[in-house]
């Protein structure tokens, strides 16, 4: 059981992801998480309000199984297959502590940001709301989310996906190194 409790090395997980992508390419499917929101909205009848949601969602319902698997897998791994701690670099812990995040290395998500008591802090609430909006808007504007572009788009050799992934990394570096320290 120890092999499943620890992170898998890149040389195991990478080829497994590649195997899944080859299987999807073979059957003519593309993987992506954000496209499931469009499918869910279409199932709910949003096609009556917008042409964007007016499509044959039954062809895409297979991808909803991916979301269900991610939810179930995440729940099982977080609650039964890990001790919910992360082994991170001590320099990163020191930097996060300087921002007031003292739970670094003790939990996957810092309780100072994602805990229920943090929602009473207007700065944290604003960052979560604005960040959520920007992620949603960005996913739609970019034509997909990070997993869709980085895994499916790059494996399909799509230039827009390469540009999007480069943009994701640049945006993340700018946010965490320049903007986040200004906010907190």
């Amino acid at each position: 059981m120890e092999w499943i409790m620890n992170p898998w090395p890149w040389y195991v997980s990478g080829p497994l992801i590649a195997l899944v992508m080859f299987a999807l390419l073979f059957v003519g499917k593309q993987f992506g998480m954000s496209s499931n929101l469009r499918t869910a909205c279409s199932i709910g009848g949003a096609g009556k309000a917008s042409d964007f949601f007016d499509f044959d969602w039954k062809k895409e319902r297979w991808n909803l199984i991916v979301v269900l698997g991610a939810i179930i897998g995440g729940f099982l791994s977080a609650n039964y297959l890990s001790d919910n701690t992360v082994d991170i670099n001590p320099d990163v812990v020191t930097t996060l502590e300087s921002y007031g995040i003292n739970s670094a290395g003790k939990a996957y998500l810092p309780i100072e940001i994602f805990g229920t008591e943090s929602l009473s802090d207007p700065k944290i609430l604003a960052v979560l709301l604005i960040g959520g909006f920007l992620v949603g808007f960005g996913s739609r504007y970019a034509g997909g989310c990070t997993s869709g572009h980085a895994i499916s788009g790059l494996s399909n050799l799509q230039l827009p996906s390469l540009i999007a992934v480069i943009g994701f990394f640049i945006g993340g570096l700018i946010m965490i190194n320049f903007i986040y320290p200004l906010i907190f």
Side-chain angles (χ1 to χ4, degrees), residues 29-161:
K29 304 286 186 187
Q30 287 191 359
F31 169 78
M33 294 304 251
S34 63
S35 59
N36 288 301
L37 180 58
R38 180 180 184 211
T39 303
C41 290
S42 181
I43 290 170
K48 296 172 187 164
S50 172
D51 290 338
F52 176 72
F53 298 109
D54 189 20
F55 71 101
D56 185 13
W57 60 266
K58 292 179 182 176
K59 287 183 180 179
E60 298 299 320
R61 66 180 166 202
W62 70 271
N63 210 5
L64 294 173
I65 301 300
V66 174
V67 173
L68 183 63
I71 292 168
I72 293 170
F75 175 80
L76 291 175
S77 65
N79 291 295
Y80 301 108
L81 299 175
S82 72
D83 58 5
N84 285 323
T85 59
V86 182
D87 207 14
I88 59 176
N89 187 312
D91 294 337
V92 174
V93 172
T94 304
T95 302
L96 290 172
E97 286 174 348
S98 73
Y99 296 150
I101 299 173
N102 297 315
S103 63
K106 299 179 182 104
Y108 281 112
L109 297 173
I111 58 171
E112 293 85 0
I113 297 175
F114 296 102
T116 54
E117 61 275 354
S118 66
L119 296 178
S120 60
D121 184 347
K123 277 199 301 190
I124 292 176
L125 186 60
V127 167
L128 291 174
L129 289 173
I130 293 169
F133 172 78
L134 289 174
V135 166
F137 176 80
S139 293
R140 182 60 245 137
Y141 188 70
C145 61
T146 53
S147 61
H149 281 297
I151 298 172
S152 190
L154 291 180
S155 67
N156 286 323
L157 303 176
Q158 295 177 358
L159 180 60
S161 291

